[in-house]
Amino acid sequence: MKQKITVLLLLISLTVFSQVKEEQLNLMPWPQNIELSEGSFMLTKNFKVNITGAPNARIFVGATNFLRRLDGRTGMFFDQGFITGLNEVPEAQLQINCVRSGKIELYDDESYLLDVTSNKITINATTDIGALHGLETLLQLLQNNSNSFYFPVSKISDFPRFTWRGLMIDGSRQFMPIDVIKRNLDGMAAVKMNVFHWHLVDDQGWRIEMKKHPKLIELASDGNYYTQEEIKNVVKYAADRGIQIVPEIDVPGHASAILTAYPEIGSKAVNVNVGSGEKGQQLKQIQTYSVERNAGIFTPTLDPSNPKTYELLSSIFDEVCPLFLGKFFHIGGDENEGKDWDSNPKIQEFKKKHNLATNHELQTYFTMQLVPMLKKHNKELMGWEEIMTKNMTKDAVIHSWRPNEDIGGQNSLANAVKGGYKTVLSNGYYIDLVYSVENHYSVDPMPKGVVLSDKEKARILGGEATMWTELASAKTIDSRIWPRTAAIAERLWSNENVTDISSLRKRLKTVSFRLEELGLTHLKSKEGLLRNISNNQKSEALLDLSNVCEPLKGYTRNKGGTEYKMYSPLTLFADVCTPDASDAILFGEAVVNFSNNKTIENQVIVVSYLNKWIKMDFDLNTLSDNAPLIQPLLPLSKSLKDISEQLLLKIDKKQNIDISVLNELLEKCNSKEHADVELAVYNSLKKLVQG
Amino acid sequence: MKQKITVLLLLISLTVFSQVKEEQLNLMPWPQNIELSEGSFMLTKNFKVNITGAPNARIFVGATNFLRRLDGRTGMFFDQGFITGLNEVPEAQLQINCVRSGKIELYDDESYLLDVTSNKITINATTDIGALHGLETLLQLLQNNSNSFYFPVSKISDFPRFTWRGLMIDGSRQFMPIDVIKRNLDGMAAVKMNVFHWHLVDDQGWRIEMKKHPKLIELASDGNYYTQEEIKNVVKYAADRGIQIVPEIDVPGHASAILTAYPEIGSKAVNVNVGSGEKGQQLKQIQTYSVERNAGIFTPTLDPSNPKTYELLSSIFDEVCPLFLGKFFHIGGDENEGKDWDSNPKIQEFKKKHNLATNHELQTYFTMQLVPMLKKHNKELMGWEEIMTKNMTKDAVIHSWRPNEDIGGQNSLANAVKGGYKTVLSNGYYIDLVYSVENHYSVDPMPKGVVLSDKEKARILGGEATMWTELASAKTIDSRIWPRTAAIAERLWSNENVTDISSLRKRLKTVSFRLEELGLTHLKSKEGLLRNISNNQKSEALLDLSNVCEPLKGYTRNKGGTEYKMYSPLTLFADVCTPDASDAILFGEAVVNFSNNKTIENQVIVVSYLNKWIKMDFDLNTLSDNAPLIQPLLPLSKSLKDISEQLLLKIDKKQNIDISVLNELLEKCNSKEHADVELAVYNSLKKLVQG
């Protein structure tokens, strides 16, 4: 078969390719400069890669992976197998040249020049990291007609706008196995992200194997943790993709897991009847903690007045720091409400003694003790924005995460850079909250309406998408991260004026599809979950419903943090649904078109959706006879069917519709009471009702 | 939402459940004894598990996993989280009692008694391994009506027919990452298999991290290997599921990878012009080997006359044996044609000196040297049937794999047990060759037509499905293993008279669907691959075609072993298709029904398939405008369309059909020339042509 394809393709190479236009390209992040010319580079079985210069060996891994991905897409059966050294195939059609080995750190040169001519492709880059970016762009540049695959003749010069383009994954609340981490690192590399922030410790679990402090995994991990070898392996895997890893151990709050193993360094004051006499005096205060199973903000907090706290942390850092190559260590520092500090007389005394007026000052005192522990390992301290108080070292990197209104209208990002701190933005990039891609895409790390000096601007390192896992399992996390994170990657890499939403949506569709080849499950996980909900019945109707529903946004799905425990099932309809529900977007466009121009063509599209939903409701009722998990969805489906029927009558104008009835049915579509999802077509339906 | 479901379910618990019949149950392997009674055990949010007796701690892992799987299926939001000790919930509805800790070895007690009453479930087992089997049966027993989930009141007593119920995965030809191995171990446990044979070394790669012999991974793994920690972790993971692991290092043939690292112990005789004079005399014979990229049988073979061969192997076993807990070590021993032995004068001399008349005797000599190396680590030697020659130790386990005709009509299995050897059957269980599930299901380890004594019969330990990976990647291997391996598991566990194919097919459909909850990708990988082939176009037509096509069977897909190299793409149509193509089976049934009884109802079904394929061909042609990978499929689709059109006319009887034309079109459907697949509907079409 292979031989035949080759012959066929050679014949076809004589045919003419139509000229590719810029708007046809599905590049993301969009490059800084792109020049398209006439002509094409035709892909054949003999396509080979050659590497020259003085790159890091990661380019051999990257180029081999590039070949396999391209071969998987095109079925070319390339002759070339593994690339393991310099100048192996001097005559190769793809020539990669790197001046020097890239460093996995901020500000190293990530630029590249990609030059496609009709018979040769060259990637020139200062570093292999830049060359890897060039290979990803080349993969995105792939075009096809009916018979063959080709690259358009083009010149692309490219470099990032921000140096910190991050993704955080919370491996504490729900443990995320190594393969989840690795495939997401591949996804990051595909959209040129370069910082993986690994949230490893929180109230719900300690996830790092500790050889000197085994109690942390024995008592506080439920057996789910990363071994040190696995961590080192992931660090290497990331470095091979140009990605640095920032580990996080969240202290002094979010400490339930640490304190489950080491209750003696907790802040909780316990009144114990110590009895009387000598024996009684020897009884110690007994504090007990347990691994948290709910979501939320909890009181367990390390005791900043206890020297043992610092001994333990210092020893932990001594063990954990060497596992990571990067320069930054994230110590959390968020959401410490200080309740246990307030109620502990010993800690109150300590505050007085050290002239620490507030809990914030006490936390700063605590955090400052960690700086030298990290410095010893050449690490800079990074923390969530709460660490930024007046005495905090200027070396610390401030991770801005809270919405402005929470901190009295002040922007912590602008404050941080004005205060002399380097900073990274995550407020607006909380992808776990399942907002639309547009929300995230519109957020720029460079604040608008604030005057900053060039020096201050330079302290804005970039941004980071944060994937918290209260409501994501290893099976669903990819669909919470992708494809929206690709849009954030574009915001952080591309020119600030690349903001067109319809272009984004169009490109994202292809980018999302291509990300799948990396093993990401954001598309295909849906099918398996639907099969479970439908009890293995053919589930077109269920798919249709999922395409107009979105999981409840923000923090509304898990009210009080107790509806879902960390072991609750994440296999239900809300877990199937995703932000940017596909049919809701298409229906929205159809309604806008119809509202603007009431042609028959536009009407037909709107009507076809309404009819589809009427049929869907019928089918779902049938399916539900043998599928208990469909029952909770029927009210949603019915609401959509009911309004659809009335809207059909309204559009048909064959019957006078009572607007109050219509409004009542419409409002039923605005419910958040069913199956933890909402109908994402509500606003479009409203337009039709009012139109 | 959760609270509401609970309330709803409590109400529903008052409703009546219909009596479940045996043929409704989708149990596999089918239990030895089952008694169904009236009534049901209703599943609620308060369902809890309690464990008593003296089990191994693996039961806590197993029971926790059981709870999570059941919760994932039913969306109950069980209160119970992690189970970590004995008698945690004495009042629990599910009581598990184990007399003692199970041993991960052959012949330990795997039986269990499962007793479901309307308000209590008990699992009684001698060992926790039996109890784990009971939990899997309970999961398979789950029923539902429209609103709730329940277990039918029943008593099941169960135990295995054979003690060796194995699956082999070849991690050498295509490297299979740890997550692939783990999810397949979960699949094995779900169908009560208990031996995982891990083929770790072959011509195409050495996959075990070696601390004393790092050259093996540096030079012969392409960077793809299992670390020792990962191996130990997998061994633990398997043991937690009642599975023992048998590692394989294939020697003395299949040695390209070993010899790439250690050419000095190879058998190849190289004539080197050693020049003249003293300098020339010092030149050594230089042999070179390289990691094999093709499939097939190759000559590189260890030198049995070289003491260094045994030194190295002994040292390797010293490092590898302790990684595994089980009693068996597989040393391969297959397909050594001895070509390099024949052409090496030194080896010929060695044979003479040791009175070894044939290469088989020489190989026995070689193999016997390994016995004490393994015995030192309490391991018994196992090998493919070629190791069975007259001087082979009776302690060796013979792995029977060749079809009878290859060895002159003799059955190696019967010969082995008659010769005093324990034996395991794999001939007939080569699942990589993509034959129908019926083929494998009909193969019984107990040979028919051969008279064996009870002692001889007892030496037949069981059987093993073998998954070689010349044509399977990490993304497709699950669909080659599952669901057919569940049928082999049933053959090895259940009573020999459980042989009904239609019952098997019906149950397998549900078993296959449920296996998905373990992370197995055999169903959902198809969708992603089709997306790639269709170039992200809606691909109902492509799915339809895949449901009537099967990959070429046996060794015909990769003729000469060179069409596919180990890095060739396995992302194409043949990789999407599976044995037992679903529509081919349904169409086959429809044709049989129609042939037997030419009612309108039966005709309608046949006609609907024919019409579907006519439409499919039209749609595929449209899709192919933007999908080069569809082009090679169009001839298949056209053949099916052409015959379908003529058959419609024939069935309609509105037109006289030229039978020679019909036969010609039919034969076009019997082609193996396109896309490495065949139309699995050929025989059914033939029936229609001739009917």
Side-chain angles (χ1 to χ4, degrees):
Chain A
M1 188 191 82
K2 281 65 64 181
Q3 289 72 3
K4 276 171 218 151
I5 287 186
T6 314
V7 172
L8 192 69
L9 289 175
L10 287 171
L11 288 171
I12 290 157
S13 71
L14 303 169
T15 63
V16 179
F17 296 84
S18 63
Q19 173 60 24
V20 174
K21 299 193 186 70
E22 223 174 81
E23 53 273 26
Q24 278 174 263
L25 300 178
N26 293 306
L27 306 175
M28 189 174 297
W30 192 258
Q32 302 290 348
N33 300 291
I34 175 161
E35 270 176 56
L36 275 174
S37 307
E38 271 186 39
S40 302
F41 175 99
M42 169 77 192
L43 200 60
T44 69
K45 184 180 166 60
N46 298 314
F47 180 79
K48 287 192 180 66
V49 184
N50 190 51
I51 298 164
T52 55
N56 183 287
R58 72 172 63 90
I59 193 67
F60 305 131
V61 179
T64 302
N65 289 344
F66 162 86
L67 265 182
R68 295 289 82 78
R69 283 163 67 192
L70 193 58
D71 212 2
R73 287 183 192 184
T74 61
M76 286 282 157
F77 287 76
F78 293 139
D79 291 326
Q80 196 173 16
F82 294 85
I83 300 167
T84 57
L86 290 175
N87 222 16
E88 288 179 336
V89 200
E91 75 283 9
Q93 291 168 307
L94 171 56
Q95 295 285 334
I96 300 172
N97 185 67
C98 311
V99 178
R100 63 168 173 81
S101 178
K103 295 184 206 80
I104 305 296
E105 55 185 46
L106 299 185
Y107 299 114
D108 200 13
D109 192 324
E110 297 187 77
S111 70
Y112 66 92
L113 288 164
L114 169 62
D115 191 359
V116 180
T117 69
S118 60
N119 57 8
K120 193 149 201 153
I121 302 173
T122 52
I123 293 176
N124 278 295
T126 305
T127 70
D128 39 79
I129 300 170
L132 289 177
H133 293 323
L135 286 170
E136 295 293 347
T137 300
L138 185 56
L139 280 166
Q140 292 185 344
L141 209 55
L142 185 70
Q143 305 293 311
N144 66 276
N145 53 27
S146 63
N147 280 288
S148 41
F149 294 94
Y150 62 93
F151 299 109
V153 168
S154 51
K155 274 193 173 51
I156 292 175
S157 79
D158 203 8
F159 53 86
R161 179 172 165 225
F162 290 103
T163 190
W164 189 296
R165 304 178 306 280
L167 169 66
M168 186 209 80
I169 290 182
D170 173 3
S172 170
R173 288 187 174 77
Q174 295 262 353
F175 181 66
M176 293 293 154
I178 292 294
D179 55 309
V180 174
I181 303 298
K182 283 189 174 174
R183 69 191 187 221
N184 278 287
L185 286 167
D186 282 319
M188 289 176 66
V191 295
K192 303 184 173 63
M193 297 181 99
N194 67 343
V195 177
F196 174 59
H197 170 183
W198 204 352
H199 187 79
L200 288 158
V201 174
D202 213 304
D203 291 298
Q204 292 83 356
W206 178 281
R207 305 296 178 202
I208 312 164
E209 177 192 25
M210 298 300 292
K211 300 195 170 166
K212 285 190 189 147
H213 303 282
K215 277 204 284 182
L216 284 163
I217 52 170
E218 286 163 18
L219 302 175
S221 79
D222 302 306
N224 292 321
Y225 59 89
Y226 307 106
T227 69
Q228 295 194 4
E229 181 186 283
E230 284 172 335
I231 290 172
K232 284 188 259 185
N233 181 293
V234 167
V235 168
K236 165 79 165 64
Y237 193 88
D240 277 347
R241 284 146 184 82
I243 296 170
Q244 74 167 296
I245 299 191
V246 177
E248 177 179 351
I249 295 177
D250 200 349
V251 286
H254 288 274
S256 303
I258 303 176
L259 295 176
T260 300
Y262 292 96
E264 61 269 28
I265 61 167
S267 300
K268 190 156 60 178
V270 181
N271 291 323
V272 180
N273 187 344
V274 294
S276 57
E278 269 177 46
K279 228 178 174 178
Q281 299 293 343
Q282 283 166 11
L283 282 175
K284 280 192 190 158
Q285 283 201 345
I286 302 159
Q287 310 173 48
T288 58
Y289 296 87
S290 59
V291 171
E292 184 56 54
R293 304 303 183 189
N294 293 311
I297 302 175
F298 305 96
T299 52
T301 309
L302 304 186
D303 179 355
S305 72
N306 187 344
K308 280 190 187 160
T309 300
Y310 302 107
E311 278 166 37
L312 180 73
L313 287 176
S314 180
S315 171
I316 285 172
F317 288 132
D318 285 349
E319 195 168 340
V320 175
C321 284
L323 305 176
F324 296 92
L325 299 172
K327 192 175 157 189
F328 300 96
F329 203 109
H330 204 299
I331 56 87
D334 56 320
E335 298 183 323
N336 169 26
E337 297 180 339
K339 284 185 192 161
D340 283 359
W341 289 356
D342 290 339
S343 60
N344 187 325
K346 194 175 72 100
I347 295 176
Q348 291 306 312
E349 208 174 290
F350 184 87
K351 271 168 79 173
K352 269 185 214 149
K353 190 176 146 196
H354 288 79
N355 284 320
L356 302 164
T358 65
N359 283 342
H360 267 142
E361 286 184 24
L362 177 57
Q363 185 168 340
T364 303
Y365 171 91
F366 167 85
T367 309
M368 289 303 291
Q369 309 307 305
L370 311 188
V371 173
M373 298 179 197
L374 294 170
K375 191 136 268 173
K376 178 179 164 192
H377 298 285
N378 282 314
K379 307 278 184 199
E380 287 183 19
L381 184 145
M382 177 167 184
W384 301 104
E385 63 186 49
E386 290 96 321
I387 69 163
M388 182 174 63
T389 49
K390 62 179 175 173
N391 295 319
M392 180 51 52
T393 170
K394 302 295 178 194
D395 289 341
V397 179
I398 305 301
H399 197 162
S400 177
W401 72 279
R402 286 186 292 189
N404 296 353
E405 53 273 26
D406 279 18
I407 47 172
Q410 287 187 308
N411 188 316
S412 74
L413 191 92
N415 281 353
V417 296
K418 283 183 179 173
Y421 296 99
K422 287 168 292 190
T423 181
V424 170
L425 183 68
S426 277
N427 178 26
Y429 300 139
Y430 267 46
I431 50 178
D432 63 308
L433 302 183
V434 291
Y435 289 108
S436 155
V437 68
E438 294 185 36
N439 286 49
H440 302 304
Y441 195 57
S442 68
V443 175
D444 198 301
M446 205 51 73
K448 287 184 181 87
V450 185
V451 180
L452 296 178
S453 69
D454 284 352
K455 259 194 182 167
E456 287 163 351
K457 282 182 183 170
R459 291 192 194 112
I460 297 176
L461 302 179
E464 193 176 291
T466 48
M467 183 62 221
W468 303 99
T469 54
E470 286 91 345
L471 293 172
S473 72
K475 282 185 186 167
T476 63
I477 190 170
D478 294 0
S479 74
R480 274 55 188 138
I481 298 177
W482 306 104
R484 289 175 303 148
T485 294
I488 297 174
E490 174 156 292
R491 176 59 48 243
L492 300 173
W493 176 285
S494 304
N495 191 293
E496 62 185 314
N497 60 27
V498 177
T499 53
D500 184 76
I501 291 286
S502 65
S503 162
L504 172 80
R505 287 212 182 272
K506 184 218 127 215
R507 289 178 290 129
L508 200 55
K509 201 176 155 217
T510 299
V511 167
S512 180
F513 150 57
R514 286 301 184 194
L515 283 168
E516 200 172 11
E517 79 190 359
L518 301 167
L520 287 166
T521 62
H522 57 300
L523 298 176
K524 61 175 170 268
S525 65
K526 189 166 182 166
E527 194 197 342
L529 292 171
L530 287 179
R531 224 175 338 254
N532 186 48
I533 294 168
S534 73
N535 197 17
N536 205 24
Q537 300 174 94
K538 279 218 172 186
S539 59
E540 195 64 32
L542 198 52
L543 183 66
D544 286 344
L545 184 62
S546 76
N547 286 337
V548 292
C549 288
E550 295 181 0
L552 296 183
K553 297 177 200 316
Y555 296 99
T556 56
R557 179 172 167 193
N558 189 16
K559 290 186 207 83
T562 58
E563 293 197 59
Y564 285 81
K565 297 192 185 301
M566 292 307 133
Y567 48 75
S568 293
L570 293 168
T571 54
L572 304 179
F573 191 66
D575 305 296
V576 172
C577 296
T578 63
D580 305 304
S582 57
D583 275 0
I585 290 168
L586 294 173
F587 179 64
E589 290 168 3
V591 168
V592 167
N593 291 340
F594 179 57
S595 303
N596 293 342
N597 192 356
K598 294 209 161 45
T599 63
I600 289 293
E601 291 74 17
N602 286 341
Q603 180 173 322
V604 161
I605 300 174
V606 169
V607 165
S608 71
Y609 277 102
L610 301 174
N611 279 319
K612 175 169 158 179
W613 294 328
I614 293 167
K615 179 172 186 312
M616 171 189 82
D617 184 60
F618 178 84
D619 290 347
L620 279 177
N621 273 284
T622 309
L623 286 174
S624 74
D625 286 348
N626 185 27
L629 295 181
I630 290 183
Q631 299 296 338
L633 317 179
L634 294 179
L636 284 160
S637 169
K638 181 176 188 310
S639 298
L640 187 52
K641 180 205 73 171
D642 288 345
I643 187 92
S644 294
E645 285 175 344
Q646 293 302 310
L647 283 169
L648 281 178
L649 294 175
K650 179 174 189 290
I651 290 169
D652 249 10
K653 288 174 190 156
K654 284 194 182 139
Q655 210 176 310
N656 254 352
I657 310 296
D658 182 342
I659 185 73
S660 71
V661 170
L662 215 50
N663 273 324
E664 201 180 304
L665 292 176
L666 176 67
E667 283 319 301
K668 285 200 173 157
C669 294
N670 197 22
S671 166
K672 295 182 176 25
E673 295 304 308
H674 303 291
D676 288 356
V677 300
E678 58 189 45
L679 281 168
V681 287
Y682 169 73
N683 284 326
S684 299
L685 292 170
K686 194 171 183 179
K687 260 188 211 138
L688 283 181
V689 167
Q690 298 172 344
Chain B
M1 187 193 80
K2 280 67 61 181
Q3 287 72 4
K4 276 170 219 150
I5 287 186
T6 313
V7 172
L8 192 69
L9 290 175
L10 286 173
L11 287 172
I12 291 156
S13 71
L14 304 169
T15 64
V16 180
F17 294 85
S18 62
Q19 173 60 23
V20 173
K21 298 192 186 71
E22 223 175 80
E23 53 272 26
Q24 277 173 264
L25 300 177
N26 293 305
L27 306 176
M28 189 172 297
W30 192 258
Q32 302 290 348
N33 300 292
I34 175 161
E35 269 177 57
L36 275 175
S37 307
E38 270 186 41
S40 302
F41 175 98
M42 170 75 192
L43 200 60
T44 68
K45 183 179 165 62
N46 298 315
F47 180 79
K48 287 192 180 63
V49 184
N50 190 50
I51 298 164
T52 55
N56 183 287
R58 72 171 64 90
I59 194 65
F60 306 131
V61 178
T64 303
N65 289 344
F66 162 86
L67 266 183
R68 296 288 84 76
R69 283 163 67 193
L70 192 58
D71 212 2
R73 288 184 191 183
T74 61
M76 286 283 158
F77 287 77
F78 292 140
D79 290 326
Q80 195 173 17
F82 294 84
I83 300 167
T84 58
L86 290 174
N87 222 16
E88 288 179 335
V89 200
E91 74 282 8
Q93 292 169 306
L94 171 56
Q95 295 285 335
I96 300 172
N97 184 68
C98 309
V99 178
R100 63 166 173 81
S101 177
K103 296 186 206 76
I104 305 297
E105 55 186 47
L106 299 185
Y107 299 114
D108 200 13
D109 191 326
E110 297 186 77
S111 70
Y112 66 92
L113 289 165
L114 169 63
D115 190 0
V116 180
T117 69
S118 61
N119 57 7
K120 191 149 201 153
I121 302 173
T122 52
I123 292 176
N124 278 295
T126 304
T127 70
D128 40 78
I129 300 170
L132 290 177
H133 293 323
L135 286 171
E136 295 294 347
T137 299
L138 185 56
L139 280 166
Q140 291 186 345
L141 208 55
L142 184 70
Q143 305 293 311
N144 66 276
N145 54 27
S146 63
N147 281 289
S148 41
F149 294 95
Y150 62 95
F151 299 109
V153 168
S154 52
K155 273 191 175 48
I156 292 176
S157 79
D158 203 8
F159 53 86
R161 180 172 165 227
F162 291 104
T163 191
W164 188 297
R165 305 178 306 280
L167 169 67
M168 187 210 80
I169 290 182
D170 173 3
S172 169
R173 288 186 174 77
Q174 294 262 353
F175 181 67
M176 294 294 153
I178 292 294
D179 55 309
V180 174
I181 303 299
K182 284 190 173 174
R183 68 190 187 221
N184 278 287
L185 288 167
D186 282 319
M188 289 175 67
V191 294
K192 305 183 173 60
M193 298 182 98
N194 67 343
V195 178
F196 175 59
H197 170 182
W198 204 352
H199 186 80
L200 288 158
V201 173
D202 212 305
D203 291 299
Q204 292 82 357
W206 179 280
R207 305 295 178 205
I208 313 162
E209 178 193 23
M210 299 299 292
K211 298 193 173 168
K212 285 191 190 146
H213 304 283
K215 274 204 286 182
L216 285 163
I217 52 170
E218 285 163 18
L219 301 175
S221 79
D222 301 308
N224 292 322
Y225 60 90
Y226 307 106
T227 70
Q228 297 194 3
E229 181 187 280
E230 283 172 335
I231 290 171
K232 284 189 260 184
N233 180 292
V234 167
V235 168
K236 165 81 165 64
Y237 193 88
D240 277 347
R241 284 147 187 83
I243 296 170
Q244 74 166 297
I245 300 191
V246 177
E248 178 180 350
I249 294 178
D250 201 349
V251 288
H254 289 275
S256 303
I258 304 176
L259 295 175
T260 300
Y262 292 95
E264 60 271 26
I265 61 166
S267 300
K268 191 157 59 177
V270 181
N271 292 321
V272 179
N273 187 344
V274 293
S276 59
E278 273 176 42
K279 227 176 176 177
Q281 298 292 343
Q282 284 169 8
L283 281 176
K284 281 192 191 156
Q285 282 200 345
I286 302 156
Q287 308 173 52
T288 59
Y289 296 88
S290 59
V291 171
E292 184 57 54
R293 304 304 184 189
N294 292 311
I297 303 175
F298 305 97
T299 53
T301 309
L302 302 187
D303 180 354
S305 72
N306 188 343
K308 279 190 187 161
T309 300
Y310 303 107
E311 279 167 35
L312 180 71
L313 287 176
S314 179
S315 170
I316 284 173
F317 288 132
D318 286 348
E319 194 168 340
V320 175
C321 283
L323 304 176
F324 296 92
L325 299 173
K327 191 175 157 188
F328 301 97
F329 203 109
H330 205 300
I331 58 85
D334 56 319
E335 298 182 324
N336 169 26
E337 297 181 338
K339 285 186 192 161
D340 283 1
W341 290 356
D342 290 337
S343 60
N344 187 325
K346 193 174 73 100
I347 294 174
Q348 290 307 312
E349 209 172 291
F350 183 87
K351 271 168 78 175
K352 269 183 217 154
K353 191 175 146 195
H354 288 79
N355 283 320
L356 301 164
T358 64
N359 282 342
H360 267 140
E361 288 183 23
L362 178 56
Q363 185 169 339
T364 304
Y365 172 91
F366 166 85
T367 308
M368 289 303 291
Q369 310 307 306
L370 312 187
V371 173
M373 297 179 197
L374 293 170
K375 192 136 269 174
K376 178 178 165 194
H377 298 285
N378 282 317
K379 307 278 183 200
E380 287 183 19
L381 184 145
M382 177 168 185
W384 300 103
E385 63 185 46
E386 290 96 320
I387 68 162
M388 182 173 64
T389 49
K390 62 178 175 174
N391 294 319
M392 179 52 52
T393 172
K394 303 294 178 194
D395 290 341
V397 179
I398 305 301
H399 198 161
S400 178
W401 71 278
R402 285 187 293 188
N404 297 353
E405 54 272 27
D406 279 19
I407 48 173
Q410 289 186 304
N411 188 316
S412 74
L413 191 91
N415 282 352
V417 296
K418 284 184 178 174
Y421 295 99
K422 285 167 294 187
T423 180
V424 170
L425 183 68
S426 278
N427 178 26
Y429 301 139
Y430 267 46
I431 49 177
D432 63 308
L433 302 182
V434 291
Y435 289 109
S436 156
V437 68
E438 295 184 35
N439 287 51
H440 303 304
Y441 195 58
S442 67
V443 175
D444 198 301
M446 205 51 73
K448 286 180 182 93
V450 185
V451 180
L452 296 179
S453 69
D454 284 353
K455 259 195 182 167
E456 287 163 352
K457 281 182 183 167
R459 291 193 194 110
I460 297 176
L461 303 179
E464 192 177 291
T466 47
M467 183 62 222
W468 303 100
T469 54
E470 286 91 345
L471 293 173
S473 72
K475 282 185 186 166
T476 63
I477 189 170
D478 294 359
S479 74
R480 273 58 188 135
I481 298 176
W482 306 104
R484 289 174 303 147
T485 294
I488 296 174
E490 174 157 289
R491 176 61 45 245
L492 300 173
W493 176 285
S494 304
N495 191 292
E496 62 185 315
N497 61 26
V498 176
T499 53
D500 185 77
I501 291 286
S502 66
S503 162
L504 172 79
R505 286 211 183 274
K506 182 220 128 216
R507 289 178 290 130
L508 201 54
K509 201 177 157 216
T510 299
V511 167
S512 179
F513 149 58
R514 286 302 184 195
L515 282 169
E516 200 173 13
E517 79 191 359
L518 301 167
L520 287 166
T521 63
H522 55 301
L523 298 176
K524 62 175 169 266
S525 65
K526 190 165 183 166
E527 193 197 343
L529 292 171
L530 287 178
R531 231 184 323 263
N532 186 46
I533 294 168
S534 73
N535 197 17
N536 205 25
Q537 300 175 94
K538 279 217 174 188
S539 58
E540 195 63 32
L542 197 53
L543 183 65
D544 287 343
L545 185 63
S546 76
N547 286 338
V548 292
C549 288
E550 295 180 0
L552 296 183
K553 297 175 200 317
Y555 295 100
T556 56
R557 180 171 167 194
N558 188 17
K559 290 185 205 84
T562 58
E563 293 196 61
Y564 285 81
K565 297 192 187 302
M566 293 306 133
Y567 49 76
S568 293
L570 293 168
T571 54
L572 305 179
F573 191 66
D575 305 295
V576 172
C577 296
T578 63
D580 306 303
S582 58
D583 274 0
I585 290 169
L586 295 173
F587 180 64
E589 291 167 4
V591 167
V592 167
N593 290 341
F594 179 56
S595 303
N596 294 341
N597 193 356
K598 292 214 160 44
T599 62
I600 288 293
E601 290 74 17
N602 286 339
Q603 179 173 322
V604 161
I605 300 175
V606 169
V607 165
S608 72
Y609 277 102
L610 301 174
N611 279 319
K612 176 170 157 176
W613 294 328
I614 293 167
K615 179 171 187 309
M616 171 190 81
D617 184 61
F618 178 84
D619 290 347
L620 278 177
N621 273 283
T622 309
L623 285 175
S624 75
D625 286 349
N626 186 26
L629 295 181
I630 290 182
Q631 299 296 338
L633 317 179
L634 294 179
L636 285 161
S637 169
K638 183 177 186 310
S639 298
L640 187 52
K641 180 205 73 172
D642 288 345
I643 187 89
S644 295
E645 284 174 344
Q646 294 301 311
L647 284 170
L648 282 178
L649 295 175
K650 180 173 187 292
I651 290 170
D652 250 10
K653 288 174 188 156
K654 285 196 181 135
Q655 210 176 309
N656 255 350
I657 309 295
D658 183 342
I659 185 72
S660 71
V661 169
L662 216 49
N663 275 324
E664 200 179 307
L665 291 177
L666 176 68
E667 283 320 301
K668 285 200 173 157
C669 294
N670 197 21
S671 165
K672 294 185 177 21
E673 295 304 309
H674 303 290
D676 288 355
V677 300
E678 58 190 46
L679 282 169
V681 287
Y682 169 73
N683 285 326
S684 299
L685 293 170
K686 195 172 181 178
K687 262 188 210 138
L688 283 180
V689 166
Q690 297 171 346

